């Protein structure tokens, strides 16, 4: 995935996260499973973006998906790492994710 953000001064939050969760069971139970940390594996990568809005930072995360996995949940989010703004502030108006690519590779079991 590629991340970018605006430069809104020294209190602009810079952190982005990319996460992958592997689950067993039905996707209709995703919310309950996620809330209870009931996933079979996960991986997370943090990236702190620069203030150049003309460049995009590429973030990758790699994980082994266990046998028996039925579905994956992939998440992207911005995180307050510089200044804890009030809920009324439109803090992340200039934070973007684009160019998401998922590559699944079967490992040889030899």
């Amino acid at each position: 995935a590629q991340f970018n953000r605006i430069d809104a001064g020294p209190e602009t939050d810079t952190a982005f996260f990319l996460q992958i969760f592997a689950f067993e069971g039905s996707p209709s139970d995703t919310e309950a499973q996620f809330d209870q940390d009931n996933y079979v594996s996960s991986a997370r990568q943090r990236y702190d973006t620069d203030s150049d809005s003309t460049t995009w930072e590429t973030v990758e995360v790699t994980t082994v998906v266990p046998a028996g996995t039925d579905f994956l949940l992939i998440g992207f989010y911005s995180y307050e790492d510089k200044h804890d703004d009030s809920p009324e502030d439109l803090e992340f108006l200039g934070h973007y994710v684009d160019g998401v690519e998922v590559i699944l590779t079967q490992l040889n079991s030899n």
Side-chain angles (χ1 to χ4, degrees), residues 8 14 23 27 33 47 56-57 60 62 73 77-78 80 106:
T14 65
F23 291 92
Q33 290 188 58
Y47 191 87
W56 288 79
E57 287 78 39
E60 296 182 11
T62 302
L73 179 64
Y77 63 95
S78 303
E80 289 187 310
Q106 184 173 349

Side-chain angles (χ1 to χ4, degrees), residues 9 22 46 53 59 67 69 88 90 104:
R46 175 186 170 144
S53 63
V59 179
T69 296
E88 294 83 32
L90 301 176
L104 297 175

Side-chain angles (χ1 to χ4, degrees), residues 1-7 14 16 47-60 76 78 92-101:
Q2 294 184 316
F3 294 94
N4 203 346
R5 67 171 175 87
I6 61 169
D7 182 5
T14 65
F16 284 87
Y47 191 87
D48 294 318
T49 54
D50 63 29
S51 61
D52 183 351
S53 63
T54 65
T55 62
W56 288 79
E57 287 78 39
T58 300
V59 179
E60 296 182 11
F76 316 90
S78 303
F92 295 118
L93 279 179
H95 287 65
Y96 307 99
V97 61
D98 199 359
V100 176
E101 186 175 314

Side-chain angles (χ1 to χ4, degrees), residues 20-27 29-42 65-74:
I20 298 175
F21 299 91
F23 291 92
E24 294 177 337
S26 171
D29 298 328
T30 303
E31 187 174 352
Q33 290 188 58
F34 183 80
D35 288 347
Q36 297 170 8
D37 295 332
N38 193 22
Y39 42 85
V40 293
S41 72
S42 70
V65 179
T69 296
D70 294 307
F71 65 96
L72 300 174
L73 179 64
I74 301 171

